[in-house]
Amino acid sequence: MEADRIKMHQEPLELRGDKDVPKAYIDVTGGVTIDKQPLALTADQRAAVLDYREASLEVIDISFDAASRLTRYAVPRLLFGSMIHGTDGASKGIEADAEKIPHSPQFCASLEKMRQTQDVMVAKEESLRPYARLTQEDVQDCQSGKPYRHSI
């Protein structure tokens, strides 16, 4: 899992838009390609894009860290729980723990940071607006434990 997390930091970050929006990526330097074409950015725009990339990777890191902790304890809990409560009872506790990850205070705070940096990025480079999907409502859903309206 750690290797996957490191790989995410070294590869371009995919920006997701609606189905009709061309693929876009942010590289490790803050450079953007849309539909395989580099986007010309000023130093200020590049800094905003890089801030968004870093905030996005922070959300990914929190997810990986939480999944790693969950995985580390899931197998022993599952084995012990299945002996005591049966397989269904043991797996329900692990499921409940997994469902808490994308609604933890740390995750929600990072999601809010990601939203803020996304909004700054889009304000500085309008052509990235189709990729700005994260809303204040998504952050509020995170904080209240509601399901997300779309993939983040």
Side-chain angles (χ1 to χ4, degrees):
M1 215 178 270
E2 181 62 14
D4 290 334
R5 189 189 71 74
I6 291 169
K7 187 177 175 184
M8 292 292 295
H9 282 262
Q10 296 171 342
E11 293 183 346
L13 178 72
E14 182 179 356
L15 297 173
R16 293 192 178 144
D18 292 329
K19 291 179 184 178
D20 58 337
V21 176
K23 287 189 176 200
Y25 299 90
I26 302 173
D27 69 26
V28 296
T29 67
V32 176
T33 57
I34 299 176
D35 202 20
K36 298 181 183 176
Q37 299 297 316
L39 180 64
L41 297 171
T42 66
D44 192 42
Q45 290 168 324
R46 184 176 295 271
V49 168
L50 203 49
D51 286 346
Y52 173 75
R53 176 185 163 83
E54 290 171 6
S56 299
L57 289 171
E58 183 178 308
V59 170
I60 291 167
D61 287 345
I62 289 168
S63 301
F64 271 105
D65 289 346
S68 178
R69 277 193 309 278
L70 183 65
T71 303
R72 201 170 33 248
Y73 297 106
V75 173
R77 280 177 61 192
L78 188 59
L79 291 173
F80 180 73
S82 64
M83 289 187 298
I84 305 294
H85 306 289
T87 311
D88 288 341
S91 64
K92 286 181 184 175
I94 294 168
E95 253 181 69
D97 289 346
E99 289 172 2
K100 291 176 189 174
I101 293 170
H103 297 287
S104 70
Q106 183 185 18
F107 185 89
C108 295
S110 291
L111 199 61
E112 172 60 13
K113 180 179 175 184
M114 183 178 161
R115 185 198 62 78
Q116 290 173 1
T117 59
Q118 168 198 266
D119 292 351
V120 169
M121 175 184 73
V122 169
K124 292 181 185 258
E125 179 48 59
E126 189 64 32
S127 65
L128 297 174
R129 185 164 302 282
Y131 305 97
R133 298 177 46 160
L134 190 58
T135 66
Q136 183 62 44
E137 290 80 24
D138 294 319
V139 175
Q140 290 167 344
D141 288 349
C142 181
Q143 294 164 337
S144 67
K146 291 181 182 174
Y148 293 102
R149 294 158 204 203
H150 51 78
S151 63
I152 296 175

